[in-house]
Amino acid sequence: MSTSPAEINDHETLTDTEFRDRLRELPPSAKLVAKVLEGDSPLSQGQLAEESLLPDRTVRYALNRLEDEGLVDSRYSFKDARKQVYFLTN
């Protein structure tokens, strides 16, 4: 992760330390999904489930928690506009 601040949807700026502190409070599934996104992103929910070996439902829960904390954002895939892809905000 970079040490420079990252812009988040609600225009809040997080430093690397703040990002890690927020992540620390989340469940292990959210930490694993964040780690997968750190190495390879953007990824769809299905790709995240494949890479993390977590069930789709657990990945969805983890993504919701990460989004609630402003640590993950999403956009529509350029390859398939029916799918969303996820990436870390910092």
Side-chain angles (χ1 to χ4, degrees):
M1 290 184 204
S2 69
T3 55
S4 63
E7 245 342 273
I8 304 184
N9 281 344
D10 59 4
H11 303 293
E12 181 182 6
T13 302
L14 289 180
T15 64
D16 189 48
T17 302
E18 290 168 331
F19 185 92
R20 289 166 108 21
D21 287 344
R22 285 188 184 188
L23 188 60
R24 189 172 285 119
E25 302 301 318
L26 296 177
S29 60
K31 292 173 186 167
L32 178 57
V33 167
K35 190 66 173 171
V36 170
L37 286 173
E38 182 181 54
D40 188 18
S41 73
L43 294 173
S44 69
Q45 181 180 339
Q47 290 170 316
L48 282 166
E50 240 177 70
E51 292 292 320
S52 66
L53 303 177
L54 294 171
D56 286 337
R57 189 173 173 171
T58 304
V59 170
R60 180 77 246 152
Y61 173 75
L63 287 169
N64 284 335
R65 294 294 305 270
L66 289 163
E67 286 177 320
D68 289 347
E69 290 296 323
L71 304 177
V72 166
D73 204 355
S74 64
R75 64 168 169 75
Y76 286 102
S77 172
F78 296 132
K79 293 179 184 176
D80 185 349
R82 296 171 296 174
K83 294 183 179 180
Q84 286 195 321
V85 291
Y86 300 87
F87 52 92
L88 296 176
T89 57
N90 84 333

